[in-house]
Amino acid sequence: MRAAVAAQLEADIKTLFAAVRLPEPLGEASVYAMANGGKRARPLLAAAAFLTANSAKCGQACDEQALSMLRRASLAVELVHGYSLVHDDLPCMDDDELRRGKPTCHVVYGENVALLVGDVLQSLAFEVLTAKLPDFAPADEQVAARLMAVFAPRARRMVAGQMLDVMGEQRALSQDELQAIHSDKTGALIEAAVLMGGICAQLDDNELAQFAEYAKQLGLAFQVQDDVLDATGDTATLGKPAGSDDKLQKSTYVKLLGVQKAQQYADELYAKAMASVAAFQASKPSELSKTSDENLLNQLALWLKGRDK
């Protein structure tokens, strides 16, 4: 699934930027920022949520429009994630020169262009949910409205979390304070991805609540593990400067708990996430997902748990 989702996303990114025709160097810099690989975790989560929901519904087939809306949702969350990384790397923020093993956007194109790249990626994230785009089925207005209702406030929460993170630099934060930051900074967009996938699969409110709990636990686990990797990994493996949290004197779960207990905490959170969606087991393999008994959301949680960057 991961390869198929990544390939579709890369194609959709190319389609989008061919259609919008931004002035240069903004267009080239935007493609550079979005095409720089990475785990594509958020589009994967959207797809896993969609396929898990459909697999649990007796492997029902997915129509073209539902799949097209899933592609729009996946592209939207990755665009917001991309803009957040470009802005996060700026000299006025974390001042990082490497992202995914390559020079950051502002290093290549200049700070002024990078700032505008983040701005336009954020705008495009909302545009793609409804716009007429080549190779996409026409947008379902009712589904698009539901997607926007969960996406917009979580994109705003991500920014609020970043503000709290900046304010927390050079301060010793409690675990509750740290968790409040990362439930927004990291967790909000993960929540958006999972919920948007569920909406495209037409889950009801009660089912979406279970997906939301999964995303809440997974988002926190993801951040705790990031803190562990930042403290224990190396720049070559991570693809970004190791030890950047120390450079900015940030509070982390490793500083609060130590490496071993922080990793144990992450493992507990991953287990809670998977338990939240345990009811969504495939009654038979989906034509799309080809799953066994384990649902794709839990498979993806296990993959993220085992990552080294």
Side-chain angles (χ1 to χ4, degrees):
M1 183 192 79
R2 294 196 298 272
V5 170
Q8 183 65 69
L9 182 69
E10 300 303 329
D12 290 343
I13 289 170
K14 290 180 180 178
T15 296
L16 172 64
F17 286 106
V20 297
R21 297 180 182 177
L22 297 169
E24 298 302 350
L26 181 61
E28 181 183 322
S30 297
V31 171
Y32 178 85
M34 288 301 300
N36 194 10
K39 293 177 287 295
R40 304 301 195 192
R42 290 148 193 84
L44 282 168
L45 283 165
F50 179 84
L51 292 170
T52 294
N54 275 284
S55 184
K57 295 177 180 179
C58 302
Q60 68 182 40
C62 308
D63 62 32
E64 179 185 352
Q65 191 171 59
L67 288 168
S68 182
M69 292 306 295
L70 174 67
R71 286 167 56 200
R72 290 175 184 271
S74 299
L75 184 54
V77 293
E78 192 67 2
L79 284 163
V80 164
H81 180 55
Y83 112 71
S84 74
L85 297 182
V86 171
H87 280 187
D88 203 36
D89 290 335
L90 288 171
C92 62
M93 300 297 285
D94 288 357
D95 193 16
D96 281 330
E97 296 185 352
L98 280 179
R99 171 68 65 180
R100 297 165 180 161
K102 295 181 180 180
T104 48
C105 192
H106 72 271
V107 169
V108 177
Y109 294 98
E111 188 174 351
N112 56 346
V113 175
L115 180 67
L116 294 175
V117 166
D119 292 345
V120 79
L121 294 182
Q122 182 188 41
S123 300
L124 286 169
F126 293 92
E127 185 176 346
V128 298
L129 291 179
T130 57
K132 184 177 179 180
L133 293 171
D135 301 325
F136 283 80
D140 183 316
E141 293 183 2
Q142 290 185 335
V143 173
R146 291 187 70 198
L147 293 174
M148 196 77 73
V150 301
F151 185 41
R154 286 167 176 82
R156 183 249 311 149
R157 279 177 51 200
M158 184 194 70
V159 179
Q162 180 66 28
M163 183 75 259
L164 292 174
D165 188 49
V166 170
M167 293 171 63
E169 290 176 8
Q170 302 182 28
R171 290 178 51 213
L173 302 178
S174 69
Q175 187 167 337
D176 286 344
E177 289 174 316
L178 197 58
Q179 189 161 319
I181 290 172
H182 293 304
S183 67
D184 284 346
K185 181 186 175 185
T186 304
L189 203 58
I190 286 175
E191 286 179 27
V194 173
L195 290 173
M196 291 168 83
I199 287 168
C200 290
Q202 299 183 348
L203 291 186
D204 61 33
D205 289 345
N206 289 333
E207 292 168 324
L208 285 174
Q210 294 176 66
F211 274 34
E213 181 61 22
Y214 166 90
K216 177 182 176 182
Q217 301 297 335
L218 187 78
L220 186 54
F222 190 92
Q223 182 58 53
V224 176
Q225 189 173 13
D226 259 5
D227 286 356
V228 172
L229 292 173
D230 186 75
T232 61
D234 57 79
T235 298
T237 301
L238 295 175
K240 59 183 180 180
S244 58
D245 291 334
D246 272 342
K247 180 185 75 173
L248 295 171
Q249 299 182 49
K250 290 186 178 182
S251 291
T252 68
Y253 290 95
V254 170
K255 288 180 181 178
L256 285 171
L257 304 174
V259 170
Q260 184 175 359
K261 288 187 177 180
Q263 186 60 63
Q264 289 175 352
Y265 184 41
D267 292 346
E268 291 170 6
L269 291 166
Y270 279 120
K272 288 180 181 179
M274 291 187 286
S276 299
V277 290
F280 289 88
Q281 298 297 330
S283 58
K284 64 178 181 180
S286 163
E287 293 178 2
L288 289 172
S289 65
K290 308 296 184 185
T291 61
S292 60
D293 288 339
E294 191 68 42
N295 68 40
L296 276 170
L297 282 174
N298 283 351
Q299 288 184 29
L300 192 54
L302 291 171
W303 174 66
L304 291 171
K305 180 181 176 182
R307 66 194 171 98
D308 60 1
K309 59 183 178 179

